[in-house]
Amino acid sequence: MLGTTQGFLRAIGEARLITPLRSEGGHRRYSRYQLRIAARARELVDQGTPIEAACRIIILEDQLEEAQRINAEYRSAAESSAPPSSA
């Protein structure tokens, strides 16, 4: 589906970038979100980034996105609770 090997998926799992669920038979099961993360890792690795660095970049990108989302929520809440300005 992603054009990656099982070894690559295991490697990003070992780097704790993704943790797949397991079926009763022991097969790895990935969510759509995890597949998007794996695709991003594959993209970085294909560009020459070492796998460990690619995993760290993705984690930092995810943390930045979350921080920006929270910041936007705080700004929105502050704007809605601010008293109206007089013109």
Side-chain angles (χ1 to χ4, degrees):
M1 187 173 194
L2 297 175
T4 65
T5 64
Q6 291 177 352
F8 178 78
L9 292 173
R10 274 194 295 275
I12 61 175
E14 289 170 7
R16 298 185 186 227
L17 183 60
I18 59 175
T19 305
L21 296 175
R22 296 282 182 157
S23 69
E24 289 183 20
H27 299 281
R28 291 176 183 85
R29 300 286 182 211
Y30 299 96
S31 69
R32 289 177 193 242
Y33 174 75
Q34 289 173 325
L35 292 175
R36 282 196 310 269
I37 294 293
R40 176 70 176 129
R42 178 83 260 164
E43 179 183 313
L44 289 170
V45 169
D46 287 348
Q47 293 173 1
T49 306
I51 195 162
E52 297 84 10
C55 291
R56 185 69 182 137
I57 288 168
I58 293 166
I59 289 167
L60 290 171
E61 287 174 342
D62 196 47
Q63 289 173 345
L64 175 60
E65 184 179 319
E66 178 68 7
Q68 289 173 331
R69 183 192 62 76
I70 291 168
N71 200 7
E73 287 177 8
Y74 285 144
R75 278 195 192 120
S76 178
E79 289 171 2
S80 66
S81 66
S85 61
S86 59

